[in-house]
Coordinates of all heavy atoms in Angstrom, one line a residue:
M160 N 8.0 18.7 -1.9 CA 7.6 17.4 -2.4 C 6.6 17.6 -3.6 O 5.8 18.5 -3.6 CB 7.0 16.5 -1.4 CG 7.9 16.2 -0.2 SD 9.3 15.3 -0.7 CE 8.6 13.6 -0.8
F161 N 6.7 16.7 -4.6 CA 5.8 16.8 -5.7 C 5.4 15.4 -6.1 O 6.1 14.5 -5.9 CB 6.3 17.6 -6.8 CG 7.6 17.1 -7.3 CD1 7.6 16.2 -8.4 CD2 8.8 17.5 -6.8 CE1 8.8 15.6 -8.9 CE2 10.0 16.9 -7.3 CZ 10.0 16.0 -8.3
G162 N 4.3 15.4 -6.8 CA 3.8 14.1 -7.3 C 3.2 13.2 -6.3 O 3.2 13.6 -5.1
K163 N 2.8 12.1 -6.6 CA 2.2 11.2 -5.7 C 3.3 10.1 -5.2 O 4.3 9.9 -5.9 CB 1.0 10.5 -6.3 CG 1.4 9.6 -7.5 CD 0.1 9.3 -8.2 CE -0.9 8.6 -7.4 NZ -2.1 8.2 -8.1
S164 N 3.0 9.5 -4.1 CA 3.9 8.5 -3.6 C 3.1 7.3 -3.1 O 1.9 7.4 -3.0 CB 4.8 9.1 -2.5 OG 4.0 9.6 -1.5
Y165 N 3.8 6.3 -2.8 CA 3.1 5.1 -2.4 C 3.5 4.8 -0.9 O 4.6 4.8 -0.6 CB 3.6 3.9 -3.2 CG 3.3 4.1 -4.7 CD1 4.2 4.6 -5.6 CD2 2.0 3.7 -5.2 CE1 3.9 4.8 -6.9 CE2 1.7 3.9 -6.5 CZ 2.7 4.5 -7.4 OH 2.4 4.7 -8.7
G166 N 2.4 4.7 -0.1 CA 2.6 4.5 1.3 C 2.6 3.1 1.7 O 1.7 2.3 1.3
C167 N 3.5 2.7 2.6 CA 3.5 1.4 3.2 C 2.5 1.3 4.3 O 2.5 2.1 5.2 CB 4.9 1.1 3.8 SG 5.0 -0.5 4.6
G168 N 1.6 0.4 4.1 CA 0.5 0.2 5.1 C 1.0 -0.3 6.4 O 0.3 -0.2 7.4
A169 N 2.2 -0.8 6.5 CA 2.7 -1.4 7.7 C 3.4 -0.4 8.6 O 3.3 -0.4 9.8 CB 3.6 -2.6 7.4
C170 N 4.2 0.4 8.0 CA 5.1 1.3 8.8 C 4.9 2.8 8.4 O 5.5 3.7 9.0 CB 6.5 0.9 8.7 SG 7.3 1.2 7.2
G171 N 4.2 3.1 7.3 CA 4.0 4.5 6.9 C 5.1 5.1 6.0 O 4.9 6.2 5.6
M172 N 6.1 4.4 5.8 CA 7.2 4.9 4.9 C 6.6 5.1 3.5 O 5.7 4.4 3.1 CB 8.3 3.9 4.7 CG 9.3 4.1 5.9 SD 10.8 3.1 5.6 CE 11.5 3.9 4.2
R173 N 7.1 6.1 2.8 CA 6.5 6.4 1.5 C 7.6 6.2 0.4 O 8.8 6.5 0.6 CB 6.0 7.8 1.4 CG 4.9 8.0 2.5 CD 4.0 9.2 2.2 NE 3.1 9.0 1.1 CZ 1.9 8.4 1.2 NH1 1.5 7.9 2.4 NH2 1.1 8.2 0.1
F174 N 7.2 5.8 -0.8 CA 8.1 5.5 -1.9 C 7.6 6.2 -3.2 O 6.4 6.3 -3.4 CB 8.2 4.0 -2.1 CG 8.7 3.3 -0.8 CD1 7.8 2.9 0.1 CD2 10.1 3.2 -0.6 CE1 8.3 2.3 1.3 CE2 10.5 2.6 0.6 CZ 9.6 2.1 1.5
K175 N 8.5 6.5 -4.0 CA 8.2 7.2 -5.2 C 7.6 6.2 -6.2 O 6.7 6.6 -7.0 CB 9.4 7.9 -5.8 CG 9.1 8.8 -7.0 CD 10.3 9.6 -7.4 CE 10.0 10.6 -8.5 NZ 11.2 11.4 -8.9
Y176 N 8.1 5.0 -6.2 CA 7.7 4.0 -7.1 C 7.0 2.8 -6.4 O 7.4 2.4 -5.4 CB 8.9 3.5 -8.0 CG 9.5 4.6 -8.7 CD1 10.8 5.1 -8.3 CD2 9.0 5.2 -9.8 CE1 11.4 6.2 -8.9 CE2 9.6 6.2 -10.5 CZ 10.8 6.7 -10.0 OH 11.4 7.8 -10.7
R177 N 6.1 2.3 -7.1 CA 5.3 1.1 -6.6 C 6.3 -0.1 -6.4 O 6.2 -0.8 -5.4 CB 4.2 0.7 -7.5 CG 3.4 -0.5 -7.0 CD 2.2 -0.7 -7.9 NE 1.3 0.4 -8.0 CZ 0.1 0.3 -8.3 NH1 -0.4 -0.8 -8.7 NH2 -0.7 1.4 -8.4
D178 N 7.2 -0.3 -7.3 CA 8.2 -1.4 -7.2 C 9.0 -1.3 -5.9 O 9.3 -2.3 -5.2 CB 9.1 -1.4 -8.4 CG 8.4 -1.9 -9.6 OD1 7.3 -2.4 -9.5 OD2 9.0 -1.9 -10.7
E179 N 9.3 -0.1 -5.5 CA 10.1 0.1 -4.3 C 9.3 -0.2 -3.1 O 9.8 -0.8 -2.1 CB 10.5 1.6 -4.2 CG 11.6 2.0 -5.1 CD 12.0 3.5 -5.0 OE1 11.1 4.3 -4.7 OE2 13.2 3.8 -5.0
L180 N 8.0 0.1 -3.1 CA 7.1 -0.2 -2.0 C 7.0 -1.7 -1.9 O 7.1 -2.3 -0.8 CB 5.8 0.4 -2.2 CG 4.6 -0.1 -1.3 CD1 5.0 0.2 0.2 CD2 3.3 0.6 -1.6
V181 N 6.8 -2.4 -3.0 CA 6.6 -3.8 -3.0 C 7.9 -4.5 -2.4 O 7.8 -5.4 -1.6 CB 6.2 -4.4 -4.4 CG1 6.2 -5.9 -4.4 CG2 4.9 -3.8 -4.8
K182 N 9.0 -4.0 -2.9 CA 10.3 -4.6 -2.5 C 10.5 -4.3 -1.0 O 10.9 -5.2 -0.2 CB 11.4 -4.0 -3.3 CG 12.8 -4.6 -3.0 CD 13.9 -4.0 -3.9 CE 15.2 -4.8 -3.8 NZ 15.7 -4.8 -2.4
H183 N 10.2 -3.1 -0.6 CA 10.3 -2.8 0.9 C 9.4 -3.7 1.7 O 9.9 -4.2 2.7 CB 9.8 -1.3 1.0 CG 9.5 -1.0 2.5 ND1 10.4 -0.6 3.4 CD2 8.3 -1.0 3.1 CE1 9.8 -0.3 4.5 NE2 8.5 -0.6 4.4
A184 N 8.2 -3.9 1.3 CA 7.3 -4.7 2.1 C 7.8 -6.1 2.2 O 7.7 -6.8 3.2 CB 5.9 -4.7 1.4
Q185 N 8.4 -6.6 1.1 CA 8.9 -8.0 1.1 C 10.1 -8.1 1.9 O 10.3 -9.0 2.7 CB 9.2 -8.4 -0.4 CG 7.9 -8.6 -1.2 CD 8.1 -8.9 -2.6 OE1 9.2 -8.6 -3.1 NE2 7.1 -9.4 -3.3
D186 N 11.0 -7.1 1.8 CA 12.3 -7.2 2.5 C 12.1 -6.9 4.0 O 12.7 -7.5 4.9 CB 13.3 -6.1 1.9 CG 13.8 -6.6 0.6 OD1 13.5 -7.7 0.2 OD2 14.4 -5.8 -0.1
I187 N 11.4 -5.8 4.3 CA 11.3 -5.3 5.7 C 10.3 -6.1 6.5 O 10.5 -6.4 7.6 CB 11.1 -3.8 5.7 CG1 12.1 -3.1 4.9 CG2 11.0 -3.3 7.2 CD1 13.5 -3.3 5.4
H188 N 9.1 -6.2 5.8 CA 8.0 -6.8 6.6 C 7.8 -8.3 6.2 O 6.8 -8.9 6.7 CB 6.7 -6.0 6.3 CG 6.9 -4.5 6.6 ND1 7.2 -4.1 7.9 CD2 6.9 -3.5 5.8 CE1 7.3 -2.8 7.9 NE2 7.1 -2.4 6.6
D189 N 8.6 -8.8 5.3 CA 8.5 -10.2 4.9 C 7.1 -10.5 4.4 O 6.5 -11.6 4.8 CB 8.9 -11.1 6.0 CG 9.1 -12.5 5.6 OD1 9.5 -12.7 4.4 OD2 9.0 -13.4 6.4
K190 N 6.5 -9.6 3.6 CA 5.2 -9.9 3.1 C 5.3 -10.5 1.7 O 6.0 -10.0 0.8 CB 4.4 -8.5 2.9 CG 4.3 -7.8 4.2 CD 3.6 -8.5 5.3 CE 3.5 -7.7 6.5 NZ 3.1 -8.5 7.7
K191 N 4.6 -11.6 1.6 CA 4.5 -12.2 0.2 C 3.5 -11.5 -0.6 O 3.7 -11.4 -1.8 CB 4.1 -13.7 0.4 CG 5.2 -14.5 1.0 CD 4.7 -16.0 1.1 CE 5.8 -16.9 1.8 NZ 6.0 -16.5 3.2
T192 N 2.5 -11.0 0.0 CA 1.5 -10.3 -0.8 C 1.2 -8.9 -0.1 O 1.0 -8.8 1.1 CB 0.2 -11.1 -0.8 OG1 0.4 -12.4 -1.3 CG2 -0.9 -10.4 -1.7
T193 N 1.2 -7.9 -0.9 CA 0.8 -6.6 -0.5 C -0.5 -6.2 -1.1 O -0.6 -6.2 -2.3 CB 1.9 -5.6 -0.8 OG1 3.1 -5.9 -0.1 CG2 1.5 -4.2 -0.3
Y194 N -1.5 -5.9 -0.3 CA -2.7 -5.4 -0.9 C -2.6 -4.0 -1.2 O -2.4 -3.1 -0.4 CB -3.9 -5.7 0.1 CG -4.1 -7.2 0.3 CD1 -3.5 -7.8 1.3 CD2 -5.0 -7.8 -0.5 CE1 -3.7 -9.2 1.5 CE2 -5.2 -9.2 -0.3 CZ -4.6 -9.9 0.7 OH -4.8 -11.2 0.9
L195 N -2.8 -3.7 -2.5 CA -2.6 -2.3 -3.0 C -3.9 -1.8 -3.6 O -4.5 -2.4 -4.5 CB -1.5 -2.3 -4.0 CG -0.9 -1.0 -4.4 CD1 -0.2 -0.4 -3.2 CD2 0.2 -1.3 -5.5
C196 N -4.4 -0.6 -3.0 CA -5.6 0.0 -3.6 C -5.2 0.8 -4.9 O -4.3 1.7 -4.8 CB -6.1 1.0 -2.6 SG -7.5 1.9 -3.2
I197 N -5.7 0.4 -6.0 CA -5.4 1.0 -7.2 C -6.0 2.4 -7.4 O -5.6 3.1 -8.2 CB -5.8 0.1 -8.4 CG1 -7.3 -0.1 -8.5 CG2 -5.0 -1.2 -8.4 CD1 -7.8 -0.8 -9.7
T198 N -6.9 2.7 -6.5 CA -7.6 4.0 -6.6 C -6.8 5.1 -6.0 O -6.6 6.2 -6.5 CB -9.0 4.0 -6.0 OG1 -9.8 2.9 -6.6 CG2 -9.7 5.3 -6.1
C199 N -6.2 4.8 -4.8 CA -5.4 5.9 -4.1 C -4.0 5.4 -3.8 O -3.3 6.1 -3.1 CB -6.2 6.3 -2.9 SG -6.5 5.1 -1.7
D200 N -3.6 4.2 -4.3 CA -2.3 3.7 -4.1 C -1.8 3.6 -2.7 O -0.6 3.7 -2.4 CB -1.3 4.6 -4.9 CG -1.5 4.5 -6.4 OD1 -1.7 3.4 -6.8 OD2 -1.4 5.5 -7.1
E201 N -2.7 3.3 -1.8 CA -2.3 2.9 -0.5 C -2.2 1.4 -0.4 O -2.9 0.7 -1.0 CB -3.4 3.4 0.6 CG -3.4 4.9 0.7 CD -2.2 5.4 1.5 OE1 -1.6 4.7 2.2 OE2 -1.8 6.6 1.2
S202 N -1.2 1.0 0.4 CA -1.1 -0.5 0.5 C -1.5 -1.0 1.9 O -1.4 -0.2 2.9 CB 0.4 -0.9 0.3 OG 1.2 -0.4 1.3
Y203 N -1.9 -2.2 2.0 CA -2.3 -2.8 3.2 C -1.7 -4.2 3.4 O -1.5 -4.9 2.4 CB -3.8 -2.9 3.3 CG -4.4 -1.5 3.3 CD1 -4.6 -0.8 2.1 CD2 -4.5 -0.8 4.5 CE1 -5.1 0.5 2.1 CE2 -5.0 0.5 4.5 CZ -5.2 1.1 3.3 OH -5.6 2.4 3.3
E204 N -1.3 -4.5 4.6 CA -0.6 -5.8 4.8 C -1.5 -7.0 5.0 O -1.0 -8.1 4.8 CB 0.3 -5.6 6.1 CG -0.4 -5.3 7.3 CD 0.5 -5.2 8.5 OE1 1.2 -6.2 8.8 OE2 0.5 -4.2 9.2
N205 N -2.7 -6.7 5.2 CA -3.6 -7.9 5.3 C -4.9 -7.5 4.6 O -5.3 -6.4 4.4 CB -3.8 -8.3 6.7 CG -4.4 -7.2 7.6 OD1 -5.5 -6.8 7.4 ND2 -3.6 -6.8 8.5
E206 N -5.7 -8.6 4.3 CA -6.9 -8.4 3.5 C -7.9 -7.7 4.3 O -8.7 -6.9 3.7 CB -7.4 -9.8 3.1 CG -8.5 -9.7 2.1 CD -8.9 -11.1 1.5 OE1 -8.5 -12.1 2.1 OE2 -9.7 -11.1 0.6
S207 N -8.0 -8.0 5.6 CA -9.1 -7.3 6.3 C -9.0 -5.8 6.4 O -9.9 -5.1 6.2 CB -9.2 -7.9 7.7 OG -8.0 -7.7 8.4
S208 N -7.7 -5.3 6.5 CA -7.5 -3.9 6.5 C -7.8 -3.3 5.2 O -8.3 -2.2 5.0 CB -6.0 -3.6 6.9 OG -5.7 -4.0 8.2
F209 N -7.4 -4.1 4.1 CA -7.7 -3.6 2.8 C -9.1 -3.5 2.5 O -9.6 -2.5 2.0 CB -7.0 -4.5 1.8 CG -7.3 -4.2 0.3 CD1 -6.8 -3.1 -0.2 CD2 -8.0 -5.1 -0.4 CE1 -7.0 -2.8 -1.5 CE2 -8.3 -4.8 -1.7 CZ -7.8 -3.6 -2.3
M210 N -9.9 -4.5 2.9 CA -11.3 -4.5 2.6 C -12.0 -3.4 3.4 O -12.9 -2.8 3.0 CB -11.9 -5.9 3.1 CG -11.4 -7.1 2.2 SD -11.7 -6.9 0.5 CE -13.5 -7.3 0.4
L211 N -11.5 -3.1 4.6 CA -12.0 -2.1 5.5 C -11.8 -0.7 4.8 O -12.7 0.1 4.7 CB -11.4 -2.1 6.8 CG -12.0 -1.2 7.9 CD1 -13.4 -1.8 8.2 CD2 -11.2 -1.3 9.2
H212 N -10.6 -0.5 4.2 CA -10.3 0.7 3.5 C -11.2 0.9 2.3 O -11.8 1.9 2.1 CB -8.8 0.6 3.0 CG -8.5 1.7 2.0 ND1 -8.3 3.0 2.3 CD2 -8.4 1.5 0.6 CE1 -8.1 3.6 1.1 NE2 -8.2 2.8 0.1
M213 N -11.4 -0.2 1.6 CA -12.3 -0.1 0.4 C -13.7 0.2 0.8 O -14.3 1.0 0.1 CB -12.2 -1.5 -0.4 CG -10.9 -1.8 -1.0 SD -10.3 -0.6 -2.1 CE -11.3 -0.9 -3.6
A214 N -14.2 -0.4 1.9 CA -15.5 -0.1 2.3 C -15.7 1.3 2.8 O -16.7 2.0 2.5 CB -15.9 -1.1 3.4
R215 N -14.7 1.8 3.6 CA -14.8 3.1 4.1 C -14.6 4.2 3.1 O -15.3 5.2 3.1 CB -13.7 3.3 5.3 CG -14.1 2.6 6.6 CD -13.0 2.8 7.6 NE -13.4 2.4 8.9 CZ -12.6 2.3 9.9 NH1 -11.3 2.6 9.8 NH2 -13.0 1.9 11.1
E216 N -13.5 4.1 2.3 CA -13.1 5.1 1.4 C -13.8 5.1 0.1 O -14.0 6.1 -0.5 CB -11.6 5.1 1.2 CG -10.8 5.2 2.5 CD -11.0 6.5 3.3 OE1 -11.2 7.5 2.6 OE2 -10.9 6.5 4.5
H217 N -14.1 3.9 -0.4 CA -14.5 3.8 -1.7 C -15.9 3.1 -1.8 O -16.5 3.0 -2.9 CB -13.6 3.0 -2.6 CG -12.2 3.6 -2.5 ND1 -11.8 4.8 -2.9 CD2 -11.0 3.0 -2.1 CE1 -10.5 5.0 -2.7 NE2 -10.0 3.9 -2.2
R218 N -16.4 2.8 -0.7 CA -17.8 2.2 -0.6 C -17.9 1.0 -1.6 O -18.9 0.9 -2.3 CB -18.8 3.2 -0.8 CG -18.8 4.3 0.2 CD -19.9 5.3 0.1 NE -19.8 6.4 1.1 CZ -20.2 6.2 2.4 NH1 -20.7 5.1 2.8 NH2 -20.1 7.3 3.2
V219 N -16.9 0.2 -1.6 CA -17.0 -1.0 -2.4 C -17.5 -2.2 -1.6 O -16.9 -2.4 -0.5 CB -15.6 -1.3 -3.1 CG1 -15.7 -2.7 -3.8 CG2 -15.2 -0.2 -4.0
Ligands
ZN739 ZN1 7.0 -0.6 5.7
ZN740 ZN1 -8.1 3.5 -1.7

């Protein structure tokens, strides 16, 4: 494997392109909004998980 990928915060599947992840989240998990960390490209299905990630990993 090479390069970076985008991880689905709900099921752990990984995608090469952000668009694929967003489409996956909408199709599979029926998410209208996916919280995406622009620093490390991890996605989260809800705001609380996203905020926790930001606090823990990036101290924001
Ligand atoms: Zn998923
Ligand atoms: Zn992050």
Side-chain angles (χ1 to χ4, degrees):
M160 297 297 282
F161 58 91
K163 62 196 301 186
S164 59
Y165 300 95
C167 174
C170 71
M172 278 187 69
R173 302 198 73 83
F174 302 89
K175 191 174 183 179
Y176 302 105
R177 181 175 299 200
D178 286 352
E179 288 182 320
L180 167 61
V181 173
K182 188 176 187 303
H183 161 86
Q185 291 173 343
D186 288 351
I187 306 301
H188 304 298
D189 195 26
K190 304 298 179 193
K191 293 182 179 63
T192 305
T193 299
Y194 293 90
L195 196 62
C196 175
I197 60 171
T198 304
C199 59
D200 291 322
E201 290 290 333
S202 70
Y203 296 87
E204 59 179 304
N205 58 65
E206 187 174 13
S207 59
S208 296
F209 175 68
M210 296 303 281
L211 194 63
H212 164 80
M213 294 303 283
R215 281 179 172 173
E216 303 297 329
H217 307 301
R218 300 189 181 277
V219 175

